[in-house]
Amino acid sequence: MTTVEIAGRSVRLRAGQIIGQGGEATIYRITPDTVLKLYKLPTDQDFVMNPMLQQAAVIRLGEQQRKLPAFPSGLPSEVLVPNQLVRARGDIIGFTMPYVTGMEVLMQYGARAWCEANGVDTNQTVSVFRQLHTTVQSLHRAGLVIGDFNDLNVLTDGTALRLVDADSMQFGGFLCRTFTGRFLDPLLTDGKQLVPVSPHNQASDWYAYFVMLIQSLLYVGPYGGVHRPVAGARLQHDDRVLGRLTVLHPEVVYPKPARPFAILPDELQAYFHGVTEQDQRGVFPLKLLDNLRFTTCVSCGNLHARPVCPQCQAPGAVRQTVTIRGQVTARRVFRTTGRIVQAAVQRGQLHYLYEERGTLYREGGNRLMDAALSPELRFRLRSTDTLIAHGNVLLVVASDGTVSRRIVDCYQGRLPMCDSNGDEFFWLQDGQLRQSAPLGTLYLGDVLPSQTLFWVGERLGFGLYRAGQLVRGFVFRPGRRGLNDQVAIGTIRGQLVDAACALSDEYAWFFTITQEDGTLMHRVRVINVDGSVVAEQSAITGEDNWLGAGIRGHMAVGHSLFAVTDDGLVRVACVQAGMAVEREFPDTEPFVHANVRLMPAPGGIYVVSTHDITLLTIH
């Protein structure tokens, strides 16, 4: 427990108040409408054994003694500026700012699966970027440069927006010393490494703005995709940026989940080429947004922003109900014009929940209720029952329409923590992991309130809690009291951006995405039923392998993992302390991409996308 001073008043900070952690600071919610950003000290666990990071923390804390008191006033309301200064033993170690509710990081608006699941209107996204354009211009007129401008420090609900991490902005003699590689202007580098050798400037802010816009419109950034040359070395993201090998380069494989570049109007396409190939810089032309309007083609149903649908002009294939390719037979078992919200295979039966025109339905077309989809809603299935969670309330809707209610804890105040398998449902309440049971509620064990994530399979469950320097994993057996909380998953460095888990009866494949020193890292740890970590592997986001492609949608079966990639399914196995692809299934390539979810099916694998469920049989 840490004690700090705010306006002469002592305030005790508790682990349960933590709502976010990054590479430089921890965020506490100290009142319903106020958060506190506390800088990490050089002795923080994240900096252990890294003298460079320790020295950076010393410099950062020293500079903030002068920078925060001098922070400019009168900035746009969209910018969350430091409010009250936080001190310890007279030194400034943080500040307070307003708490933001109902908003997501802009990164989510560049993820197709998330946007489709939540019904994001691309024209509304364009409107958000118009507001962001105004905000950036206002900051520049006030003499500030955002500097480390990235999609994790822009928050939006699709209507309004907020900029966080204002304390890193550049003004006066105070430079922004951080950067995020995906948004770093290569003109700031020496051309050899994607590391700045010159200070951020207004032009580099507009470059980052452009990258975020393209990612949000196409679901792929200017340097997305993977480089696969006919000859020579494959280049990773940083080298491609330095060499200007964009996602459109003939040696780069365009991601299957991304929207085609051809849907953009000619003016925006020309601007893309000017920035990425000719190093044009300057204020992003607002007229490109004012003239940008997406429509849905009445013939093919695809979105575009051109006078005529470019996909209808191009030759295409008609999607058949049954398709055979090589050793794979694909049979579509369900399709909706709306969105598949949740799906699960339990006791060998396929269950799913989908939305059409504002109404939720279960499999077989059984109407459940009217509901507007929102990122704040969480859905789970237990056989024919449907779990709907929002805030601290969990509703369990039975097939006959009866509804029961539970109070649940939320992870860091936002994500209601509940899950289910084919027999029971599970939830956190008052720091306890609980399970439904025929005679009431079964207590499974104690966890850390507001800081715990967990997942449940048919015979194995896994979870973790993280607060400050404390990181602890646990495994449990559904239906049995007791948690084994001695799982040594190690330190989770930086900002935890996403987490997922694929469970078989024997293993938990625990995935994370973290932002570390400006780089997005994918990691997987494999934990057995005894709580031992038997294998680990990591990859940079976008790296040309199964882990770099994404952390969601994979399926654990026995000792193996079936992973989805744009090139088809692969089967991954643990080898000593690492992992290896033991088999590839190239004939599955037309039927999968990195955004689908895999589920076990009798004699095959279900592939669940936004609109379809397809049964793949591999002969």
Side-chain angles (χ1 to χ4, degrees):
M1 189 174 296
T2 303
T3 300
V4 299
E5 183 180 295
I6 305 175
R9 178 172 53 92
S10 292
V11 176
R12 301 178 71 182
L13 304 179
R14 304 184 307 276
Q17 295 174 309
I18 294 175
I19 61 169
Q21 297 184 72
E24 298 182 354
T26 302
I27 309 298
Y28 295 81
R29 187 179 182 183
I30 57 174
T31 71
D33 56 1
T34 304
V35 298
L36 182 152
K37 182 171 184 176
L38 187 71
Y39 293 117
K40 293 180 178 179
L41 300 177
T43 55
D44 190 271
Q45 184 69 31
D46 276 1
F47 307 147
V48 170
M49 305 300 291
N50 194 323
M52 185 179 298
L53 292 180
Q54 291 173 339
Q55 182 61 24
V58 171
I59 294 173
R60 180 167 52 250
L61 285 168
E63 185 174 66
Q64 295 297 3
Q65 308 307 307
R66 296 173 288 113
K67 183 177 182 180
L68 289 180
F71 203 87
S73 59
L75 299 181
S77 59
E78 289 82 4
V79 182
L80 296 187
V81 299
N83 190 351
Q84 293 180 306
L85 300 182
V86 177
R87 301 177 185 270
R89 294 181 293 277
D91 293 330
I92 296 172
I93 59 171
F95 59 90
T96 65
M97 57 184 173
Y99 176 61
V100 177
T101 61
M103 290 189 173
E104 297 287 339
V105 292
L106 187 62
M107 176 187 282
Q108 296 283 38
Y109 286 75
R112 182 166 194 157
W114 185 89
C115 288
E116 291 183 342
N118 292 286
V120 173
D121 181 349
T122 304
N123 287 312
Q124 198 65 40
T125 301
V126 173
S127 177
V128 169
F129 272 90
R130 288 196 191 98
Q131 294 182 54
L132 186 57
H133 192 284
T134 301
T135 303
V136 174
Q137 284 195 310
S138 297
L139 286 169
H140 287 175
R141 283 195 294 266
L144 286 87
V145 170
I146 299 172
D148 190 7
F149 195 13
N150 64 78
D151 56 6
L152 290 176
N153 60 27
V154 180
L155 308 178
T156 183
D157 59 4
T159 302
L161 66 87
R162 295 290 184 270
L163 263 66
V164 298
D165 294 335
D167 54 312
S168 70
M169 291 182 183
Q170 188 170 290
F171 64 90
F174 300 107
L175 299 180
C176 175
R177 303 183 185 278
T178 58
F179 69 95
T180 301
R182 292 173 295 129
F183 303 98
L184 178 65
D185 186 346
L187 297 184
L188 300 182
T189 75
D190 61 4
K192 299 176 182 178
Q193 286 185 298
L194 197 63
V195 176
V197 296
S198 301
H200 297 282
N201 53 49
Q202 293 185 4
S204 65
D205 277 355
W206 288 116
Y207 174 85
Y209 175 95
F210 157 77
V211 174
M212 285 185 270
L213 175 66
I214 295 300
Q215 177 75 49
S216 299
L217 297 182
L218 299 181
Y219 304 131
V220 63
Y223 294 96
V226 294
H227 181 230
R228 291 181 183 168
V230 176
R234 294 186 178 186
L235 300 181
Q236 299 301 328
H237 173 271
D238 289 7
D239 290 327
R240 285 177 49 206
V241 175
L242 295 172
R244 311 303 195 265
L245 269 69
T246 74
V247 69
L248 303 180
H249 192 277
E251 293 183 337
V252 174
V253 180
Y254 199 86
K256 289 167 68 175
R259 288 171 173 162
F261 182 74
I263 71 170
L264 299 179
D266 291 340
E267 297 84 356
L268 188 50
Q269 290 189 29
Y271 188 80
F272 178 98
H273 291 295
V275 171
T276 59
E277 298 167 12
Q278 302 165 24
D279 288 340
Q280 294 179 5
R281 296 293 186 270
V283 178
F284 184 89
L286 189 57
K287 66 179 182 180
L288 295 182
L289 297 183
D290 291 338
N291 298 331
L292 189 60
R293 179 70 184 175
F294 285 86
T295 59
T296 301
C297 176
V298 295
S299 297
C300 69
N302 288 310
L303 202 70
H304 68 91
R306 299 184 61 83
V308 179
C309 175
Q311 287 152 291
C312 284
Q313 289 181 312
V318 178
R319 185 74 177 269
Q320 299 178 352
T321 302
V322 178
T323 306
I324 299 175
R325 173 173 170 167
Q327 297 182 335
V328 175
T329 299
R331 180 172 65 88
R332 190 172 66 224
V333 298
F334 174 72
R335 187 173 195 181
T336 176
T337 57
R339 294 181 289 274
I340 298 172
V341 177
Q342 186 61 255
V345 174
Q346 298 167 341
R347 295 187 174 276
Q349 296 294 314
L350 174 64
H351 301 283
Y352 50 91
L353 172 72
Y354 63 100
E355 178 270 340
E356 287 184 354
R357 298 180 180 179
T359 300
L360 293 173
Y361 299 89
R362 286 295 303 264
E363 61 268 19
N366 298 314
R367 183 182 181 279
L368 188 69
M369 63 174 64
D370 293 334
L373 295 183
S374 162
E376 297 181 347
L377 290 173
R378 197 175 196 201
F379 299 93
R380 290 293 184 268
L381 307 177
R382 180 189 68 169
S383 186
T384 57
D385 295 343
T386 306
L387 281 65
I388 305 173
H390 180 265
N392 293 106
V393 177
L394 168 64
L395 301 180
V396 182
V397 184
S399 56
D400 62 3
T402 58
V403 179
S404 60
R405 180 187 298 257
R406 300 287 191 282
I407 301 299
V408 299
D409 294 343
C410 288
Y411 175 69
Q412 296 188 346
R414 300 188 62 198
L415 181 67
M417 288 313 304
C418 60
D419 206 350
S420 62
N421 59 22
D423 298 317
E424 306 295 345
F425 60 91
F426 305 75
W427 72 101
L428 301 184
Q429 184 176 350
D430 298 329
Q432 295 181 346
L433 177 58
R434 303 181 181 186
Q435 173 192 317
S436 62
L439 299 180
T441 299
L442 177 64
Y443 160 79
L444 297 180
D446 292 327
V447 296
L448 192 62
S450 304
Q451 305 300 324
T452 301
L453 295 167
F454 78 94
W455 297 264
V456 180
E458 295 302 317
R459 297 184 180 179
L460 178 65
F462 171 77
L464 83 155
Y465 38 88
R466 179 195 188 205
Q469 298 182 6
L470 173 65
V471 180
R472 183 164 294 174
F474 60 88
V475 292
F476 61 96
R477 288 292 199 179
R480 300 183 190 176
R481 294 177 182 269
L483 309 177
N484 175 1
D485 62 358
Q486 300 302 308
V487 180
I489 61 175
T491 301
I492 298 178
R493 282 196 57 221
Q495 181 177 354
L496 181 61
V497 176
D498 196 8
C501 190
L503 291 154
S504 70
D505 292 346
E506 296 87 8
Y507 288 100
W509 297 68
F510 172 53
F511 296 87
T512 59
I513 298 179
T514 52
Q515 175 142 295
E516 304 172 20
D517 305 327
T519 299
L520 283 178
M521 296 295 301
H522 293 197
R523 284 190 171 82
V524 57
R525 301 164 174 89
V526 183
I527 300 102
N528 66 16
V529 293
D530 297 326
S532 300
V533 178
V534 298
E536 297 185 48
Q537 189 165 313
S538 64
I540 298 173
T541 294
E543 194 171 318
D544 191 9
N545 56 49
W546 70 272
L547 183 55
I551 69 168
R552 292 185 173 272
H554 308 314
M555 177 182 73
V557 177
H559 294 69
S560 301
L561 182 83
F562 285 85
V564 290
T565 75
D566 281 359
D567 299 318
L569 302 184
V570 298
R571 190 172 68 206
V572 181
C574 298
V575 178
Q576 296 179 346
M579 300 167 204
V581 174
E582 60 179 4
R583 186 178 175 186
E584 298 178 347
F585 302 91
D587 288 342
T588 63
E589 183 272 332
F591 314 111
V592 301
H593 54 73
N595 271 8
V596 301
R597 291 169 285 167
L598 304 181
M599 296 179 183
I605 296 174
Y606 288 121
V607 177
V608 182
S609 67
T610 302
H611 305 291
D612 300 88
I613 300 177
T614 302
L615 173 62
L616 297 186
T617 304
I618 303 174
H619 306 288

